Amino acid sequence: LGRPVEIDSAIIKRIHREHKAGKSLRSIAAGLTADNVPTARGGPNWQVSTIQRVVAAGTKDKGSTRRVG
């Protein structure tokens, strides 16, 4: 139903890098929003739950994007 929801690999790497550096999920989401990084659906506001799913998925990503949800 609709197109798959995907996050670019550069954003995934940023999320993992910031999480590894000790930033909270809320802080990572706020930073992406503040930097005007569009969400996987093209929206302006990142949610903690999205960051949590990316972190939980680990670094299994092999392509240039990752499906979320």
Side-chain angles (χ1 to χ4, degrees), residues 2-46:
R3 64 182 170 82
V5 180
E6 298 179 338
I7 298 175
D8 186 87
S9 65
I11 303 305
I12 293 168
K13 288 176 185 174
R14 174 178 169 171
I15 291 168
H16 285 292
R17 182 176 60 247
E18 292 183 5
H19 185 256
K20 186 175 181 180
K23 282 193 170 185
S24 69
L25 301 177
R26 184 177 307 277
S27 175
I28 295 168
L32 291 168
T33 298
D35 290 344
N36 296 313
V37 176
T39 66
R41 294 187 187 271
N45 298 313
W46 284 81

Side-chain angles (χ1 to χ4, degrees), residues 42-68:
N45 298 313
W46 284 81
Q47 302 298 318
V48 172
S49 60
T50 303
I51 305 302
Q52 185 175 27
R53 282 194 297 274
V54 171
V55 169
T59 56
K60 297 181 280 186
D61 184 40
K62 301 264 193 260
S64 61
T65 58
R66 174 175 292 153
R67 189 172 178 172
V68 178

